[in-house]
Amino acid sequence: MKYAYYPGCAAEAIMKEADETTRQVARILGIELIDMKNATCCGAGCLDEANLELSYVINARIFAIAESMGLNSIMTICSTCLQTMTKINQELQSDPELLERVNKVLRKTGTEYRGNVQMTHLLWVLVKDYGLDKVKKHVKRPLNMLNVAAFYGCHTLRPAEILGYEDPRNPKSLDLLIKALGGKTVDYRGKTRCCGFHTLLVNERASLKAGGKRLQEAKDKGADCMVTPCPLCDVSLDVYQSEAEKLYQKKTQLPVFNLSQLIALALGVDVSDLSFRKHLVSPKKIISAVIAAEG
Amino acid sequence: MRKKILIRRFDPETVDESFLQAFNVDLPQNATILDALIKIKEEQDGTISFRKSCRSAICGSCAVTVNGVAVLACNSQFKSISWVEGDVIIEPLGNLPVLKDLIVRFYPFWHEVEKTMPWLEPKEEIGEKENIVSAEDVAIIDESANCIMCGCCFGDCTIRETDDNFMGPAALAKAWRFVGDTRDAIKTERLELLSKACNAWDCTRCNLCIDRCPKGVRPLDQIVRIRQEAMKAGIKDNKGARHALAFQSDIKNHGKLNETTMPLKTVGIIRSLGMIPMALRMQMKGKVPFPIQKDIEGIKEVKKIYKIMEVDE
């Protein structure tokens, strides 16, 4: 299994641990990730607001890089990259006039997009392509002490007609993955709702309250921790958790893991390599419980 | 089929807090949520209150929340509510005050719609002659014109849940219906209003409104259209527009986003000062990347794209 690997800007900077642990997980599972060194940011649904035509060209250039590497599948670990790139890719693939217009620009820079690339996400790769039975075989440190709240993130689910992987009102993939890692799952209202990230810099208060609400909803249903497939959700839910607590005047202190960190933990990666020290809400107790159970 | 249905009851004259009341009801296989409500009211408890009228997903009066999802009761068959595992729980629409049982006070919703000036301001004096609009021009406002004002998008809106001043998806979709109308004379005025705080730029792009709308209005798509038109009209002195422009310039300058300078570019120097304690906490955890970024390989090609496309700064 081989993918052109597109971690996205957040996983290359503020949430570097998501990228680092994804590489470890891929190495253990035998999934080959090839770096796309000259790929830009996808624009995250913001570039198209500033300049729609430019966002087509910038993304087509990224898809063309994958084609030039001889690969037709790009794997990301960011929900917003997934949604932004899938949407633009579908428009390029379904509108030959648009594709030609975009290629007219790209050809002047020595490249071209032929329309043969598909987008995917680490979560989908593991559930759909790799198989959870195979993941299970690699589990060295089962998470059976943990009640894990799956937080899907908007941009792996909606809009369904663009992403189309699973029912956005009743998704299963992340819950199934948690179970495959030996954890227990938590059913809660916020599972398919929003962390508020995309308005953090515009309406900070509303954004923080949205994230805080999701954390409270999970905590109220007995979650020990939360897991997200998106580094942007991680920022809202972990980094800004204490700010949300201040607004609600209510402590949640719910540790939030990036998907790849939790998988790496279950696959037995040395705890010191999982960057847990970077969490704003300490997951120390959770890690100790998992290690104690491992014996 | 026999169904156990829990209905959230509330009557401000008799109880302080709402509660769930269980009913067991026999229904035909193709029954809708509204069929069940009518049957329960007729046969088991005549005091249950809910709104309904057309039973055909046209009037928009029967919106309720079913197991956390805002739907029209009349077009939701039990066999199609895929997200329900176990008992069916029917509750009033969210984000609006409850009057009694499943009936909410719609005033806050209408108040937001009213703010958008939902009428056409004609460019010329209305004469005897018809004003023909091309099929192409109709197409861009077609989706937004399908809104039946049921409130499903509003009831489940992420930002309306945490900010009472946010306009919400239905009003913004309605706003686009007039911004995008080629006959309208006050487009710029509308875009200026919509670019103010708590309007088009506050949406967090969660896509719940697209998922919930029973008529394919796709409110978020219309919100994005408003943002794009506002930027084209040069209305850029607001946080949302600055945020979008920061993406445009970061990609050109380095290829990647600069997360350290993004807050500064979006909210400005003064507001950024308030973020310093947060930034220090992140710094201590090793989370703040070095502000001077390395360019991606091939940044020259990216700059060339901007030049060819004559992208304004």
Side-chain angles (χ1 to χ4, degrees):
Chain A
M1 292 175 81
K2 204 171 173 181
Y3 298 90
Y5 177 48
Y6 186 87
C9 298
E12 289 180 331
I14 190 168
M15 278 297 300
K16 191 105 186 80
E17 53 270 38
D19 171 52
E20 290 163 355
T21 49
T22 297
R23 291 175 192 276
Q24 300 190 53
V25 167
R27 183 178 45 79
I28 295 169
L29 299 180
I31 299 169
E32 213 179 326
L33 302 180
I34 316 290
D35 284 322
M36 303 175 73
K37 286 208 176 78
N38 36 6
T40 58
C41 165
C42 69
C46 292
L47 180 63
D48 65 292
E49 292 169 348
N51 191 326
L52 181 61
E53 193 74 5
L54 178 65
S55 77
Y56 289 134
V57 178
I58 289 294
N59 279 278
R61 182 180 166 276
I62 303 172
F63 302 140
I65 293 168
E67 280 181 347
S68 71
M69 291 158 70
L71 296 167
N72 57 11
S73 204
I74 298 177
M75 187 194 93
T76 182
I77 53 171
C78 169
S79 299
T80 294
C81 295
L82 176 74
Q83 193 223 39
T84 303
M85 295 168 80
T86 304
K87 185 167 185 263
I88 290 178
N89 193 28
Q90 281 176 12
E91 288 180 46
L92 293 168
Q93 288 173 335
S94 63
D95 184 347
E97 271 177 38
L98 170 65
L99 185 61
E100 179 49 30
R101 214 164 63 223
V102 164
N103 274 332
K104 251 186 196 159
V105 180
L106 285 185
R107 277 185 216 114
K108 289 181 191 159
T109 69
T111 185
E112 183 178 23
Y113 177 43
R114 291 188 297 276
N116 296 325
V117 167
Q118 296 303 324
M119 286 302 302
T120 190
H121 185 285
L122 173 67
L123 174 64
W124 297 357
V125 164
L126 294 180
V127 177
K128 192 167 58 171
D129 305 348
Y130 191 83
L132 291 179
D133 286 342
K134 261 173 84 187
V135 174
K136 242 182 218 172
K137 285 182 191 150
H138 290 275
V139 173
K140 300 248 162 43
R141 209 185 262 147
L143 310 174
N144 52 3
M145 297 295 290
L146 291 185
N147 291 313
V148 186
F151 186 81
Y152 282 80
C154 301
H155 295 169
T156 47
L157 296 175
R158 294 179 293 265
E161 68 282 1
I162 287 169
L163 294 162
Y165 179 66
E166 57 191 326
D167 181 356
R169 297 175 181 186
N170 192 11
K172 300 281 183 199
S173 59
L174 190 50
D175 288 86
L176 291 171
L177 181 56
I178 292 166
K179 284 178 189 161
L181 302 176
K184 287 177 277 178
T185 58
V186 179
D187 202 20
Y188 68 109
R189 177 182 181 265
K191 188 155 110 172
T192 58
R193 291 190 175 241
C194 180
C195 70
F197 179 84
H198 286 286
T199 195
L200 188 57
L201 292 175
V202 177
N203 187 338
E204 187 183 343
R205 196 181 155 84
S207 168
L208 293 172
K209 284 179 86 174
K213 223 167 166 57
R214 306 297 89 90
L215 292 157
Q216 285 172 23
E217 287 160 349
K219 185 116 181 170
D220 288 347
K221 293 284 179 172
D224 299 315
C225 63
M226 189 179 258
V227 63
T228 85
C230 176
L232 308 181
C233 297
D234 286 322
V235 170
S236 272
L237 297 165
D238 174 52
V239 177
Y240 284 87
Q241 190 169 150
S242 60
E243 300 296 307
E245 286 175 338
K246 277 184 220 157
L247 285 177
Y248 284 112
Q249 296 187 318
K250 192 176 175 182
K251 286 257 175 216
T252 39
Q253 290 297 299
L254 191 68
V256 179
F257 296 102
N258 182 268
L259 174 65
S260 53
Q261 272 184 310
L262 198 70
I263 303 170
L265 177 67
L267 297 187
V269 174
D270 197 307
V271 173
S272 60
D273 290 337
L274 299 178
S275 299
F276 291 136
R277 66 186 184 286
K278 285 189 169 180
H279 286 230
L280 274 280
V281 176
S282 170
K284 216 172 166 182
K285 275 188 197 157
I286 306 281
I287 310 302
S288 309
V290 174
I291 291 170
E294 186 189 14
Chain B
M1 60 179 178
R2 193 160 177 79
K3 283 276 169 195
K4 185 178 175 188
I5 295 171
L6 301 167
I7 299 177
R8 187 159 296 282
R9 304 295 308 267
F10 176 65
D11 182 350
E13 289 182 10
T14 56
V15 291
D16 292 332
E17 268 187 53
S18 70
F19 59 95
L20 286 172
Q21 187 178 357
F23 297 92
N24 288 296
V25 57
D26 287 310
L27 294 158
Q29 286 298 323
N30 59 356
T32 63
I33 297 289
L34 184 59
D35 293 332
L37 288 171
I38 292 171
K39 198 156 192 240
I40 291 167
K41 186 176 173 81
E42 282 178 354
E43 296 174 4
Q44 300 188 38
D45 187 340
T47 68
I48 292 177
S49 302
F50 53 91
R51 285 197 184 105
K52 61 146 172 61
S53 181
C54 78
R55 308 185 196 200
S56 311
I58 293 168
C59 75
S61 60
C62 68
V64 289
T65 306
V66 174
N67 294 63
V69 177
V71 296
L72 289 182
C74 71
N75 78 342
S76 303
Q77 289 181 299
F78 281 88
K79 61 183 177 193
S80 70
I81 47 176
S82 59
W83 63 99
V84 179
E85 292 173 357
D87 297 338
V88 178
I89 304 169
I90 308 176
E91 296 175 283
L93 216 51
N95 295 337
L96 289 163
V98 179
L99 285 173
K100 184 171 182 290
D101 298 337
L102 303 177
I103 298 179
V104 292
R105 187 167 166 259
F106 245 74
Y107 174 75
F109 175 92
W110 294 120
H111 180 63
E112 300 302 336
V113 175
E114 213 181 311
K115 278 189 205 164
T116 70
M117 302 183 279
W119 55 82
L120 195 73
E121 288 287 349
K123 280 181 181 160
E124 302 153 23
E125 198 137 316
I126 300 167
E128 296 291 308
K129 239 178 82 196
E130 61 202 338
N131 191 346
I132 296 170
V133 181
S134 72
E136 232 173 42
D137 287 340
V138 173
I140 61 162
I141 56 170
D142 220 13
E143 286 170 335
S144 58
N146 285 334
C147 179
I148 58 172
M149 302 273 150
C150 64
C152 284
C153 61
F154 191 90
D156 277 353
C157 172
T158 300
I159 297 304
R160 182 69 196 196
E161 188 181 22
T162 56
D163 187 346
D164 283 346
N165 295 312
F166 177 53
M167 209 173 231
L172 287 163
K174 183 54 75 185
W176 170 254
R177 188 251 165 273
F178 295 101
V179 169
D181 193 316
T182 52
R183 298 165 298 174
D184 192 65
I186 54 165
K187 183 173 171 171
T188 311
E189 193 185 321
R190 290 181 193 276
L191 288 170
E192 272 164 4
L193 169 87
L194 294 166
S195 298
K196 291 200 167 115
C198 288
N199 298 343
W201 289 102
D202 287 47
C203 158
T204 187
R205 292 195 272 122
C206 71
N207 284 266
L208 275 167
C209 55
I210 291 183
D211 182 78
R212 300 304 197 247
C213 176
K215 304 303 280 186
V217 171
R218 307 185 67 83
L220 173 56
D221 287 354
Q222 318 317 328
I223 293 171
V224 170
R225 282 174 157 156
I226 291 172
R227 293 176 177 184
Q228 288 166 341
E229 282 304 307
M231 304 246 345
K232 275 188 215 157
I235 305 164
K236 296 175 181 176
D237 189 20
N238 58 71
K239 286 189 262 185
R242 282 196 294 269
H243 191 54
L245 287 170
F247 273 84
Q248 186 174 289
S249 65
D250 277 4
I251 293 171
K252 181 189 175 188
N253 294 332
H254 307 288
K256 293 285 168 103
L257 205 61
N258 189 331
E259 285 168 327
T260 315
T261 56
M262 179 59 84
L264 191 69
K265 286 183 182 173
T266 304
V267 303
I269 293 172
I270 306 267
R271 182 64 193 87
S272 291
L273 293 174
M275 292 177 167
I276 288 175
M278 185 71 207
L280 287 175
R281 250 179 298 157
M282 285 162 67
Q283 178 71 49
M284 280 167 66
K285 293 284 182 180
K287 273 196 169 293
V288 182
F290 192 59
I292 299 162
Q293 252 178 326
K294 226 178 96 189
D295 297 344
I296 59 153
E297 285 175 28
I299 189 71
K300 272 188 193 160
E301 295 160 25
V302 178
K303 288 189 180 182
K304 197 167 174 190
I305 289 172
Y306 276 66
K307 202 174 168 195
I308 295 165
M309 298 183 74
E310 297 171 356
V311 178
D312 296 337
E313 284 307 301

